[in-house]
mmCIF file of all heavy atoms in Angstrom:
data_model
loop_
_atom_site.group_PDB
_atom_site.id
_atom_site.type_symbol
_atom_site.label_atom_id
_atom_site.label_comp_id
_atom_site.label_asym_id
_atom_site.label_seq_id
_atom_site.Cartn_x
_atom_site.Cartn_y
_atom_site.Cartn_z
ATOM 1 N N PRO T 3 -65.494 213.690 5.444
ATOM 2 C CA PRO T 3 -66.175 212.853 6.420
ATOM 3 C C PRO T 3 -66.767 213.661 7.552
ATOM 4 O O PRO T 3 -66.341 214.705 7.895
ATOM 5 C CB PRO T 3 -65.024 212.024 6.937
ATOM 6 C CG PRO T 3 -63.816 212.820 6.692
ATOM 7 C CD PRO T 3 -64.056 213.589 5.393
ATOM 8 N N LEU T 16 -69.015 224.641 24.810
ATOM 9 C CA LEU T 16 -68.505 226.005 24.801
ATOM 10 C C LEU T 16 -69.337 226.960 25.724
ATOM 11 O O LEU T 16 -68.754 227.767 26.392
ATOM 12 C CB LEU T 16 -68.467 226.561 23.390
ATOM 13 C CG LEU T 16 -67.620 227.825 23.144
ATOM 14 C CD1 LEU T 16 -66.210 227.583 23.573
ATOM 15 C CD2 LEU T 16 -67.678 228.139 21.656
ATOM 16 N N SER T 33 -57.059 234.007 46.255
ATOM 17 C CA SER T 33 -55.592 233.964 46.492
ATOM 18 C C SER T 33 -54.754 234.719 45.443
ATOM 19 O O SER T 33 -53.595 234.803 45.565
ATOM 20 C CB SER T 33 -55.139 232.463 46.448
ATOM 21 O OG SER T 33 -55.747 231.775 47.505
ATOM 22 N N LEU T 54 -50.973 223.549 20.264
ATOM 23 C CA LEU T 54 -51.872 222.842 19.320
ATOM 24 C C LEU T 54 -51.570 223.300 17.884
ATOM 25 O O LEU T 54 -51.653 222.494 16.976
ATOM 26 C CB LEU T 54 -53.321 223.190 19.706
ATOM 27 C CG LEU T 54 -53.792 222.630 21.024
ATOM 28 C CD1 LEU T 54 -55.170 223.165 21.398
ATOM 29 C CD2 LEU T 54 -53.900 221.067 20.949
ATOM 30 N N VAL T 68 -50.527 242.660 9.355
ATOM 31 C CA VAL T 68 -51.373 241.804 10.141
ATOM 32 C C VAL T 68 -51.092 241.953 11.626
ATOM 33 O O VAL T 68 -52.008 242.150 12.481
ATOM 34 C CB VAL T 68 -51.231 240.316 9.706
ATOM 35 C CG1 VAL T 68 -52.005 239.387 10.674
ATOM 36 C CG2 VAL T 68 -51.716 240.118 8.280
ATOM 37 N N TRP T 69 -49.820 241.969 11.988
ATOM 38 C CA TRP T 69 -49.453 242.105 13.386
ATOM 39 C C TRP T 69 -49.815 243.472 13.910
ATOM 40 O O TRP T 69 -50.100 243.690 15.106
ATOM 41 C CB TRP T 69 -47.936 241.847 13.545
ATOM 42 C CG TRP T 69 -47.643 240.402 13.515
ATOM 43 C CD1 TRP T 69 -47.147 239.674 12.460
ATOM 44 C CD2 TRP T 69 -47.866 239.418 14.590
ATOM 45 N NE1 TRP T 69 -47.082 238.337 12.762
ATOM 46 C CE2 TRP T 69 -47.462 238.175 14.044
ATOM 47 C CE3 TRP T 69 -48.312 239.487 15.898
ATOM 48 C CZ2 TRP T 69 -47.528 237.007 14.856
ATOM 49 C CZ3 TRP T 69 -48.412 238.379 16.640
ATOM 50 C CH2 TRP T 69 -48.026 237.142 16.085
ATOM 51 N N LEU T 72 -53.302 243.097 14.830
ATOM 52 C CA LEU T 72 -53.377 242.196 15.932
ATOM 53 C C LEU T 72 -53.127 242.922 17.257
ATOM 54 O O LEU T 72 -53.583 242.373 18.344
ATOM 55 C CB LEU T 72 -52.453 240.977 15.735
ATOM 56 C CG LEU T 72 -52.900 239.952 14.727
ATOM 57 C CD1 LEU T 72 -51.739 238.964 14.503
ATOM 58 C CD2 LEU T 72 -54.113 239.215 15.233
ATOM 59 N N GLY T 102 -72.949 241.213 32.562
ATOM 60 C CA GLY T 102 -72.266 242.309 31.778
ATOM 61 C C GLY T 102 -71.752 241.780 30.440
ATOM 62 O O GLY T 102 -71.717 242.531 29.421
ATOM 63 N N VAL T 111 -73.417 245.402 17.215
ATOM 64 C CA VAL T 111 -74.287 246.088 16.294
ATOM 65 C C VAL T 111 -73.816 247.560 16.149
ATOM 66 O O VAL T 111 -73.704 248.028 14.968
ATOM 67 C CB VAL T 111 -75.732 246.064 16.767
ATOM 68 C CG1 VAL T 111 -76.583 247.011 15.922
ATOM 69 C CG2 VAL T 111 -76.348 244.626 16.612
ATOM 70 N N GLY T 137 -82.423 247.726 29.620
ATOM 71 C CA GLY T 137 -82.142 246.577 30.548
ATOM 72 C C GLY T 137 -80.965 246.806 31.386
ATOM 73 O O GLY T 137 -80.947 246.474 32.601
ATOM 74 N N MET T 157 -67.304 247.980 34.941
ATOM 75 C CA MET T 157 -66.139 247.238 34.369
ATOM 76 C C MET T 157 -66.542 246.021 33.623
ATOM 77 O O MET T 157 -66.001 245.657 32.567
ATOM 78 C CB MET T 157 -65.141 246.955 35.475
ATOM 79 C CG MET T 157 -64.386 248.173 36.001
ATOM 80 S SD MET T 157 -63.041 247.813 37.123
ATOM 81 C CE MET T 157 -63.959 247.237 38.603
ATOM 82 N N GLY T 162 -67.554 243.506 28.208
ATOM 83 C CA GLY T 162 -68.439 242.960 27.123
ATOM 84 C C GLY T 162 -68.379 243.872 25.864
ATOM 85 O O GLY T 162 -68.336 243.319 24.758
ATOM 86 N N LEU T 167 -66.392 245.283 20.139
ATOM 87 C CA LEU T 167 -65.482 246.118 19.333
ATOM 88 C C LEU T 167 -64.366 245.284 18.693
ATOM 89 O O LEU T 167 -64.047 245.442 17.523
ATOM 90 C CB LEU T 167 -64.829 247.188 20.168
ATOM 91 C CG LEU T 167 -65.794 248.313 20.710
ATOM 92 C CD1 LEU T 167 -65.059 249.227 21.671
ATOM 93 C CD2 LEU T 167 -66.390 249.055 19.577
ATOM 94 N N LEU T 191 -54.031 235.672 20.875
ATOM 95 C CA LEU T 191 -53.696 235.412 22.295
ATOM 96 C C LEU T 191 -52.275 235.710 22.635
ATOM 97 O O LEU T 191 -51.971 236.245 23.695
ATOM 98 C CB LEU T 191 -54.019 233.974 22.634
ATOM 99 C CG LEU T 191 -55.474 233.596 22.937
ATOM 100 C CD1 LEU T 191 -55.600 232.126 23.262
ATOM 101 C CD2 LEU T 191 -56.091 234.405 23.996
ATOM 102 N N LEU T 196 -48.359 239.370 25.267
ATOM 103 C CA LEU T 196 -47.281 240.320 25.201
ATOM 104 C C LEU T 196 -47.711 241.716 25.733
ATOM 105 O O LEU T 196 -46.884 242.375 26.406
ATOM 106 C CB LEU T 196 -46.746 240.434 23.799
ATOM 107 C CG LEU T 196 -46.079 239.212 23.141
ATOM 108 C CD1 LEU T 196 -45.737 239.427 21.657
ATOM 109 C CD2 LEU T 196 -44.856 238.822 23.965
ATOM 110 N N MET T 198 -49.952 242.209 27.902
ATOM 111 C CA MET T 198 -50.194 242.117 29.330
ATOM 112 C C MET T 198 -48.924 242.270 30.142
ATOM 113 O O MET T 198 -48.995 242.565 31.325
ATOM 114 C CB MET T 198 -50.893 240.774 29.614
ATOM 115 C CG MET T 198 -51.509 240.686 30.969
ATOM 116 S SD MET T 198 -52.928 241.769 31.233
ATOM 117 C CE MET T 198 -52.959 241.939 33.045
ATOM 118 N N PRO T 200 -46.250 244.487 30.128
ATOM 119 C CA PRO T 200 -45.991 245.778 30.770
ATOM 120 C C PRO T 200 -47.013 246.134 31.843
ATOM 121 O O PRO T 200 -46.677 246.716 32.841
ATOM 122 C CB PRO T 200 -45.947 246.799 29.587
ATOM 123 C CG PRO T 200 -46.737 246.100 28.534
ATOM 124 C CD PRO T 200 -46.479 244.622 28.665
ATOM 125 N N ILE T 216 -45.633 239.806 41.694
ATOM 126 C CA ILE T 216 -46.206 239.201 40.512
ATOM 127 C C ILE T 216 -46.343 237.629 40.758
ATOM 128 O O ILE T 216 -47.305 237.043 40.289
ATOM 129 C CB ILE T 216 -45.318 239.449 39.292
ATOM 130 C CG1 ILE T 216 -45.305 240.938 38.993
ATOM 131 C CG2 ILE T 216 -45.799 238.611 38.087
ATOM 132 C CD1 ILE T 216 -44.381 241.287 37.891
ATOM 133 N N GLY T 232 -64.129 223.460 54.835
ATOM 134 C CA GLY T 232 -63.903 222.667 56.004
ATOM 135 C C GLY T 232 -63.360 223.525 57.159
ATOM 136 O O GLY T 232 -63.284 224.690 57.154
ATOM 137 N N ALA T 239 -56.099 224.890 49.597
ATOM 138 C CA ALA T 239 -55.215 226.061 49.462
ATOM 139 C C ALA T 239 -54.826 226.384 48.048
ATOM 140 O O ALA T 239 -54.633 227.572 47.674
ATOM 141 C CB ALA T 239 -53.938 225.869 50.324
ATOM 142 N N LEU T 243 -55.563 228.645 42.377
ATOM 143 C CA LEU T 243 -54.643 228.566 41.284
ATOM 144 C C LEU T 243 -55.032 227.528 40.217
ATOM 145 O O LEU T 243 -54.970 227.737 39.016
ATOM 146 C CB LEU T 243 -53.255 228.124 41.787
ATOM 147 C CG LEU T 243 -52.095 227.997 40.804
ATOM 148 C CD1 LEU T 243 -51.921 229.227 40.006
ATOM 149 C CD2 LEU T 243 -50.840 227.534 41.513
ATOM 150 N N ILE T 280 -74.085 232.436 27.540
ATOM 151 C CA ILE T 280 -73.040 232.384 28.573
ATOM 152 C C ILE T 280 -73.557 232.972 29.911
ATOM 153 O O ILE T 280 -73.298 232.401 30.949
ATOM 154 C CB ILE T 280 -71.782 233.163 28.092
ATOM 155 C CG1 ILE T 280 -71.157 232.318 26.978
ATOM 156 C CG2 ILE T 280 -70.806 233.391 29.239
ATOM 157 C CD1 ILE T 280 -70.007 233.032 26.294
#
Side-chain angles (χ1 to χ4, degrees):
L16 195 54
S33 297
L54 293 170
V68 172
W69 284 100
L72 283 171
V111 168
M157 288 189 287
L167 293 174
L191 282 181
L196 294 175
M198 191 69 202
I216 297 174
L243 178 60
I280 290 172

